Amino acid sequence: MMTNSLLRRTPLFLALSLTSALAWAADPIDQTDPRHTEPKTLDAVEVKATPLADTAESLARPVEVLAGEKLDEAKANSLGETVSKLPGVQSSYFGPGVGRPIIRGFDGARVQVLSDGLGSGDVSTVSVDHAVTLEPFLADQIEVLKGPATLLYGSGAIGGAVNVVDGRVPESAPDEPFQGRAELRADSVNDGRTGMLRLDGGTGNGLVFHFDGLHRETDDYEIPGFAESARQLAEEGETPDPSTRGILSNSAVRTDSAALGVSWVGERGFFGGGYSLYSTRYGVPGHSHEHGEEHEGEEGEEAHEEEGPVHIVMDQRRAEARAGLNDIGPFKSLRARVARTEYTHTEFEGEEVGTVFDNDSTEGRVELVHQPFGGFEGAFGLQWAQRDFKAIGDEAFVPASKSRDAGLFWIGQRQFGDVKLELGARHDQNKIDIDESTAIGPDRDFDTTSVSAALKWDISDAFHLSFGLDRAQRSPTAEELYSNGLHVATGSVELGQPGLDAETANRAELGLHWHLGALKLGASLYHVRYDDFIYLADTGVEEHDGPVRLWTQDDARFNGAEGEADWNFAENGSGSWNLRIFGDVVRAELTGSGTRPVDFSVPHGDHTHDYSIELARGGNLPRIAPWRVGGELRWERGPLRASLGAVRYAEQDRVAQFESETPGYTLVDAHLAWHGDTSGGNAWEVFVDGSNLLDKEARAHTSFLKDVAPLPGRNVGAGVRIFF
């Protein structure tokens, strides 16, 4: 029934099915194609996020890469969910349409999301209900830079960066004159249908092209019980309607994405351009809300009007140009890229338009890799960006602003025998001009400087130690400075502080990697001490039927550890057997003691309510991911591969002031795939994926919706991939 609906409702599926059938009919199956029988080592994949070409294993700074079969198995509706099983990486959650990466406890404006080295151009840092406009299903590889990436990508990467490599503007000729891949997928938990197609080719005279397209539709997803948590039901003294059990209403998603890129590639370089679009519509679960307006003469009372479910319609158009040239005198290479993004995001309350967000941005980047100088291989870089942002509507809690950023950096590396040294420095200037008619404070200018040093010591061929020291700075965002009103997505009043200063992070990290035959071990310990850490604090005050939260800053520290073991423990007639175990933990807390007085005002129509409170200077920071441990058993034999895994998320009882605890949960998943190659060089793969197979209720502590929107229940997904 679901497959018939898929074919009937989605024309893209018909085209992909025809392509698949032609590929299978063309040639008989041949399992000896070396492209698919040779083992793939992710550590050896070149990391594209740095201008100095290197592999994840060779870099002194911690980097994770998803590619190949591992990426195929991890792909999900959101970028955050796709990378969430990497050590030290979890995901935010605001329904199935929204999931942003959280790296070692850092998220939002501290984690930069990139499309082949340039910012995504969306407004996912403005509000937790805004989606990232990058599609994991279209990626060639996804790179996660853990720890400050400010040297490369500026203030917004103080907690790390995630780079999605999709090759939409080709920089080299493909291996074959014409190649591509396609995928059809159906999911049971939400009657989901996903189809994608990617084509890459060249004419032989230097002209290279790229095309990709994706369509996804899902209905409301199934959950093990009721949407509201037992804690919230008990607090409200309510009994849920039995008819609402098992489905999370208003959680449907529809997404379309497409791109076309053309380049000329010569012996010494390339130049090209591309155009892409991303359109999505998704519901915000748990947000049929009451919208209050205070009427004249009704002091202290509000008349409430029930609004319909909140859903979001987002549209982004992006034009991009890239160029590269090799062997330029004292420089090995020059790379330049620029992107112009036009983004519109409309929040509907029922059928009525609530708030419209417009964000037009331009970002450019130039990288010059120089010849060895003083023994150092290195690169200079210049990056600049401008953003014109405005929000229109009764509940636009952030005023219109224009942001201008410029940064200059150098990174270098040198080998001293068995020791590799990496150094870097960067200076940024950030300027925010605010719309005077809606501003609660003046324009702001910031200068930030970041420096870094890292060592990698190859004690032996099998054992490596790394050590890193960083000093990184981040300037406040317009949202942290100037928010001033009801934030419908989180059901809270959000207040900025125009006087916030830049925050400074000092980090130390020790890492080790040990390769002993079939066994690989890796572990990291890190400590980050923040001066003037900016965070969103609950005040304990309620207005507009929700909590009042205040952007404020204080000193903080983050302590954490992560580890991973990968053991290929058997290779015999039964197949290849591999066991992977990983875990991570982070503790984040304010370092002060006692309390400090805070005064603030909450807007209420044409007047304000004034408050004076005592805010704790110590204690835990809010919405920090709990510790977890996971394992996965993998098996491969001939054309078949399978895996069974589980991740235990601990109870989070180290909570901030006015924050509730979150129970722990265990998620079990499994994957099965049957792969075949054809004599003509094509390949196909039939797969079945299962997630939350025990159908457990799971609520992410990092989510503002944890008490009204649990994670999806049991899901079985199945489909076919073809490679040609």
Side-chain angles (χ1 to χ4, degrees), residues 101 120 158 164 188 226 310 353 382 427 446 448 476 483 598 628 683:
S120 59
I158 195 170
V164 178
S188 64
F226 293 102
V310 175
V353 174
L382 173 65
H427 183 75
F446 300 92
T448 57
S483 295
V598 175
R628 62 178 180 166

Side-chain angles (χ1 to χ4, degrees), residues 366-525:
V366 176
E367 297 169 350
L368 275 168
V369 179
H370 61 73
Q371 301 287 356
F373 180 77
F376 276 89
E377 296 179 336
F380 294 97
L382 173 65
Q383 181 180 359
W384 70 96
Q386 62 181 37
R387 183 185 85 159
D388 293 346
F389 169 84
K390 61 182 177 181
I392 303 168
D394 292 337
E395 295 169 344
F397 69 102
V398 183
S401 64
K402 293 183 178 181
S403 301
R404 304 291 183 267
D405 306 317
L408 181 66
F409 67 89
W410 175 82
I411 59 171
Q413 59 187 30
R414 181 177 178 179
Q415 198 75 32
F416 296 90
D418 295 329
V419 177
K420 180 181 181 181
L421 173 64
E422 296 180 5
L423 299 174
R426 177 174 177 131
H427 183 75
D428 285 271
Q429 292 184 334
N430 314 106
K431 180 178 177 60
I432 302 175
D433 295 330
I434 202 74
D435 184 346
E436 295 181 359
S437 63
T438 55
I440 62 170
D443 298 340
R444 295 295 305 275
D445 293 279
F446 300 92
D447 286 88
T448 57
T449 300
S450 299
V451 293
S452 175
L455 284 172
K456 180 174 179 289
W457 180 20
D458 296 330
I459 298 175
S460 69
D461 291 340
F463 190 69
H464 316 285
L465 278 178
S466 60
F467 181 68
L469 290 173
D470 302 276
R471 178 189 183 273
Q473 290 188 305
R474 182 181 76 89
S475 58
T477 64
E479 299 77 50
E480 294 164 339
L481 293 167
Y482 305 113
S483 295
N484 189 40
L486 178 63
H487 188 177
V488 175
T490 59
S492 64
V493 175
E494 199 166 305
L495 303 176
Q497 296 239 49
L500 294 176
D501 295 322
E503 61 183 23
T504 301
N506 296 287
R507 181 190 72 117
E509 177 167 354
L510 177 66
L512 66 87
H513 293 271
W514 184 30
H515 297 218
L516 185 62
L519 178 64
K520 294 194 297 183
L521 299 173
S524 296
L525 294 171

Side-chain angles (χ1 to χ4, degrees), residues 38 177-178 203 269 329 349 431 603 605 623 643:
E38 292 178 354
F178 181 79
T203 62
E349 300 169 14
K431 180 178 177 60
R623 291 170 294 283
S643 67

